[in-house]
Amino acid sequence: MKTSLCSFCLKSGILCSKCSEKVKSGEITDSDLKVARVLLSLEESYPSLQNINFYKSVDSGKTLAIIVGRGDVPRLLGYGGKIVKALEEKTGKIIRILEYGVDDRKFLEDLFAPLSIVTINTIWLPDGSMETRVILRRRGGRPPPFDVKALKEIARKVRNMTLRVEFQE
Ligand SMILES: [Zn+2]
């Protein structure tokens, strides 16, 4: 796995001066450190993790979003979801895997998976601010399989996006 931390620090858990500077400046958070170490510990069992880029983690409540490189999402979702399950066990959070540098639509598709998106549109409010309205397909009136409030906060933290989430049968 590639991160902005050096592999020595990740493996030892003791930070060199360069890496501890990154933690001090806030470029790397404690949560990022923890996720990176968990991913590293899983590499042996799941070799596809060796090739992923880990950018950062963003949390809200019990949900933790892990942002990885372009094309890395399938590498984390493979193995029948075992990697995500292991991450959830070790972090105690519900994991969402998101891709770095994608367009808004792809970002929202990953954020709200497995529900599919009916429509995305932009709403301008009278005060000049903007909201992104996302309508998700829901079947049988079932509650969504994720915490909508947490995902909205993650969208704000990651993309500076204000979401309005609605459902359609
Ligand atoms: Zn280091």
Side-chain angles (χ1 to χ4, degrees):
M1 176 200 32
K2 297 165 206 104
T3 71
S4 62
L5 291 163
C6 53
S7 60
F8 172 80
C9 291
L10 268 184
K11 281 183 183 133
S12 66
I14 301 160
L15 298 183
C16 69
S17 60
K18 253 189 179 169
C19 289
S20 57
E21 200 48 54
K22 287 177 183 169
V23 173
K24 258 187 227 146
S25 72
E27 186 189 331
I28 293 168
T29 64
D30 287 340
S31 161
D32 295 340
L33 266 179
K34 183 165 185 188
V35 170
R37 300 203 68 207
V38 172
L39 286 171
L40 187 75
S41 72
L42 294 171
E43 272 187 8
E44 207 172 310
S45 312
Y46 309 105
S48 75
L49 286 177
Q50 285 167 14
N51 301 315
I52 71 157
N53 281 292
F54 166 59
Y55 287 94
K56 61 177 177 165
S57 63
V58 177
D59 70 342
S60 170
K62 286 194 167 97
T63 307
L64 178 69
I66 294 177
I67 299 164
V68 296
R70 294 296 289 270
D72 286 342
V73 172
R75 294 189 171 109
L76 277 139
L77 297 182
Y79 300 102
K82 282 185 185 160
I83 296 174
V84 170
K85 196 165 278 173
L87 281 164
E88 290 184 336
E89 274 164 15
K90 294 195 181 190
T91 58
K93 302 255 186 183
I94 300 156
I95 302 291
R96 293 265 108 186
I97 308 288
L98 303 174
E99 215 166 293
Y100 185 82
V102 291
D103 61 21
D104 286 350
R105 185 174 186 96
K106 171 83 173 109
F107 170 77
L108 293 169
E109 281 173 0
D110 288 340
L111 189 67
F112 292 111
L115 296 192
S116 54
I117 292 173
V118 182
T119 316
I120 300 170
N121 52 40
T122 301
I123 298 171
W124 291 96
L125 300 177
D127 67 358
S129 65
M130 190 186 95
E131 283 185 359
T132 303
R133 183 165 75 137
V134 186
I135 301 176
L136 300 170
R137 171 88 60 213
R138 176 162 62 172
R139 294 187 200 284
R142 264 172 292 179
F146 40 67
D147 178 351
V148 175
K149 205 176 146 205
L151 296 188
K152 283 166 81 173
E153 195 184 333
I154 285 169
R156 186 167 314 119
K157 286 181 176 173
V158 176
R159 309 277 293 214
N160 202 20
M161 237 182 183
T162 304
L163 295 183
R164 182 181 296 197
V165 179
E166 293 169 16
F167 295 93
Q168 187 176 303
E169 288 288 324

